[in-house]
Every structure is written in structure tokens, then in C-alpha cells.
Amino acid sequence: MAMNILVTLDKNYLPPLRTMMQSLFLNNPGETFEIYMVHTDIPENDVALLAKFCAHHGGALTAIAAKGETFADAPVFRHYTKAMYYRLLANKLLPNSVDKILYLDPDILVINPVRPLYDLDIGDFLYAGAIHTGITSGVTDFINKLRLGNEDAEGYYNSGVLLMNMERQRREIDSEEIFDFMEKHKDELVLPDQDVMNALYGVKTMSVDDSLYNYDARYYGSYLLTSGGEKDLDWVMHNTVFLHFCGSEKPWKKSANNRFASLYKHYMNLTARTLEVLSR
């Protein structure tokens, strides 16, 4: 059975998106993916090339241009745009036939099969996601719970990888509730869409292991230390599914010196070769 994948972006994130998708396809042989891309102002020729890219790997692309009227009443502030709502309101943007979907940020590498996470039974939860663990995570989670008023949540979830229960979300997620919360708390929000997801739906999110399903590539030493030396590079390469390049130091930059930057650039090169083949 095909797996549904959701991505949301503007044209600036097309290159890392293609690299993420290359790693997804190559490390999931025998699987079929339906990619749903919610976007703003991506030119038709770029959409067509991405569709060709997916088809080359045996997948399919459905591009959804987010319409302004869907977010007409959505508040925006600081440098954030209405695009921050796309993953929160996927229930309004995706076809009703989609009952489950896996959201992935573009700044991710997929290095092992995603099927175990995709097939996870999350019951009545709205999401399954990971809390970034580490030496200081307990303190950080406590501060975020106080800041967002969701003390009953297990912790502060990173929204870069989310298994989404669309059937349940269509019944429980209300756009007006999200817009009202953002308007009332706009001066307190640090990462608006992630903060809102945690504040409103943190208690309705199932926790999964971040070292498997949302590995923060900045903190190799922390994972190694807290695991008593078990989660070394060999462990990561054999077990981790999603390497997430959080923060501002992205691995596609020439200055990148992250431990996993060379691996990322390897997939960038493979992506470039695929695009060369498709352009002939």
C-alpha cells in the first residue's frame, strides 16, 4: 500500500526538498509514495520537474497551491507568513480520501525505511511526534510547558516529523481555535506553528523515539552520552530513520561542518545526477 507524504514550502526550499525526496526513494526500495506538496507561488515548470522526479522513482506528486481565502482570517506577525499554517490545517487542504499522512520538513535526510513509523497505530491521537531528548531537555521542556500552558503534555514536540491522523483531525482541529490562539499569544510565540501545535494538541500527540524518528543532527555527542555510548555513528546509520538538520547551520551550505554534512552532500550529488538524467 502506498504511503502518503506531506511537504509544505515555498520555492526557496525546492533544492533541499528534492534532496530529502531522493533519500526517501533510495532508502525505501519497493515502496510507493504519494507526495502531497502544499506550496506558495512555486512556478509551474518547477512543479512539473518535481512531478517528473517523483515519477522517475516510482512515486506520484499532487501539488496543492494554497488559496488565499482558506487563510483570509489568519493573523500573521513578525517575519512569518500564512505558510506557517499549512501543516496545522492540512485537514482543510488535503483530499478527504487521505486518512493518514506523514509530514516531513525539507531539511531532513531519510536513511532507513519509514514503514515502521507509517504503520504505527496511533489510535485516537491527532499526531505522533518526537520530543528532542538530551542533557538539558528536561529543563527546556519544563520552560516550554510553562510558556505554553500545556503542563499535561509529555514534553515539547518537534514538528519536523509528524505522523498525522487526518480522520481524527478533521473532527477535532478547528481553524478558528488556531487563529484565536495565535492572535492572543503572538507576543509569546517563538516558533509559531510548532508552539501552537504543542499548546493546543500536545496532550493529543503520541511520543516516538527521537533518536529513530527525528534525530537532531546537531547533537550527536548528546545522543552518544545519554545512551551510554550505544548510539554511535554505526548505530545511527543502521537504526535512525530521519536525520533532521535543525537550526540555522544547514548542511547544503558550503560552510557546513556538521558531522553529517558529508552524508548530506552525497545525497545532494545523487539528486543532481538524477536531475541531469531527467533534463536530457
Side-chain angles (χ1 to χ4, degrees):
M1 182 172 63
M3 287 184 273
N4 299 318
I5 303 294
L6 172 64
V7 294
T8 64
L9 71 158
D10 59 24
K11 62 182 178 182
N12 295 320
Y13 261 80
L14 271 173
L17 173 67
R18 288 192 289 258
T19 300
M20 183 274 281
M21 289 170 58
Q22 179 85 16
S23 68
L24 173 71
F25 291 128
L26 291 183
N27 291 308
N28 288 269
E31 298 284 9
T32 302
F33 292 98
E34 298 280 347
I35 311 291
Y36 290 85
M37 181 178 73
V38 180
H39 68 94
T40 303
D41 299 328
I42 295 181
E44 289 184 10
N45 59 323
D46 286 327
V47 173
L49 178 59
L50 194 62
K52 192 175 180 181
F53 184 88
C54 290
H56 175 78
H57 289 290
L61 177 73
T62 299
I64 301 170
K67 297 178 181 178
E69 59 266 24
T70 305
F71 305 98
D73 299 324
V76 293
F77 49 94
R78 300 201 296 272
H79 61 281
Y80 296 97
T81 68
K82 292 184 180 182
M84 66 184 167
Y85 294 101
Y86 295 168
R87 103 188 93 180
L88 289 173
L89 293 175
N91 60 320
K92 286 187 171 293
L93 296 166
L94 296 175
N96 288 336
S97 58
V98 177
D99 60 353
K100 175 170 65 172
I101 200 162
L102 178 62
Y103 171 83
L104 297 176
D105 270 354
D107 58 348
I108 279 173
L109 275 186
V110 184
I111 61 173
N112 277 299
V114 305
R115 177 64 72 178
L117 176 62
Y118 192 84
D119 285 347
L120 181 67
D121 182 3
I122 64 173
D124 291 336
F125 287 102
L126 298 177
Y127 302 96
I131 299 162
H132 277 155
T133 56
I135 297 171
T136 62
S137 61
V139 174
T140 304
D141 280 349
F142 178 73
I143 292 171
N144 281 321
K145 286 180 181 181
L146 288 179
R147 181 171 65 88
L148 298 172
N150 65 337
E151 290 83 357
D152 292 333
E154 188 170 330
Y156 184 78
Y157 293 95
N158 180 276
S159 59
V161 178
L162 293 171
L163 183 62
M164 305 171 70
N165 184 342
M166 297 308 302
E167 183 180 2
R168 197 80 184 179
Q169 288 189 22
R170 290 187 184 97
R171 283 183 275 160
E172 296 190 25
I173 291 183
D174 178 10
S175 58
E176 290 306 315
E177 180 182 36
I178 291 172
F179 297 162
D180 288 347
F181 184 90
M182 280 206 169
E183 187 62 45
K184 290 176 183 176
H185 299 276
K186 60 185 178 183
D187 294 331
E188 305 149 35
L189 301 178
V190 179
L191 299 171
D193 52 338
Q194 185 166 281
D195 280 353
V196 170
M197 190 206 83
N198 277 275
L200 296 180
Y201 312 117
V203 295
K204 297 179 180 180
T205 301
M206 174 187 284
S207 289
V208 296
D209 185 345
D210 64 314
S211 67
L212 293 174
Y213 298 123
N214 196 334
Y215 186 106
D216 190 331
R218 296 171 295 182
Y219 299 127
Y220 170 78
S222 178
Y223 285 107
L224 185 64
L225 182 62
T226 56
S227 68
E230 177 191 8
K231 295 179 181 178
D232 57 11
L233 281 175
D234 286 341
W235 188 95
V236 171
M237 294 307 297
H238 284 95
N239 295 280
T240 295
V241 179
F242 303 114
L243 276 177
H244 191 180
F245 294 89
C246 304
S248 59
E249 294 302 317
K250 298 304 184 186
W252 52 83
K253 296 179 179 179
K254 286 188 177 181
S255 60
N257 59 5
N258 182 281
R259 182 179 296 269
F260 299 101
S262 294
L263 178 64
Y264 189 91
K265 291 180 187 298
H266 168 68
Y267 282 98
M268 282 180 63
N269 289 336
L270 293 177
T271 304
R273 292 176 193 171
T274 300
L275 292 173
E276 286 177 11
V277 170
L278 296 178
S279 65
R280 291 173 187 166

